[in-house]
Amino acid sequence: MFHVYWPATACLTLFLIVGVIIVLLRWGPRFCKTRHVALDVERDWQQQAYEQKVSYA
């Protein structure tokens, strides 16, 4: 019996998930305190990782 309803259920689930993602991207910073830019700490970490002194034994 479920084999008749799975396409409609899959389509409804897809629209629901895409809708939640759009809402989080559009109004996320206001409601959930999400951010759209990376933290500066990550950039500092990358610079420190690339600027290490290489020693040859």
Side-chain angles (χ1 to χ4, degrees):
M1 182 88 172
F2 182 70
H3 65 280
V4 177
Y5 299 115
W6 78 263
T9 306
C11 185
L12 180 67
T13 304
L14 179 68
F15 285 140
L16 182 69
I17 291 171
V18 169
V20 167
I21 291 172
I22 290 173
V23 166
L24 282 176
L25 287 175
R26 186 156 186 179
W27 294 291
R30 197 177 312 162
F31 297 125
C32 305
K33 305 294 187 234
T34 57
R35 56 185 168 82
H36 290 284
V37 294
L39 293 174
D40 290 336
V41 175
E42 184 176 340
R43 188 178 308 133
D44 293 338
W45 177 81
Q46 288 177 350
Q47 288 175 355
Q48 289 175 358
Y50 288 122
E51 293 177 0
Q52 289 181 358
K53 188 179 257 186
V54 178
S55 63
Y56 299 100

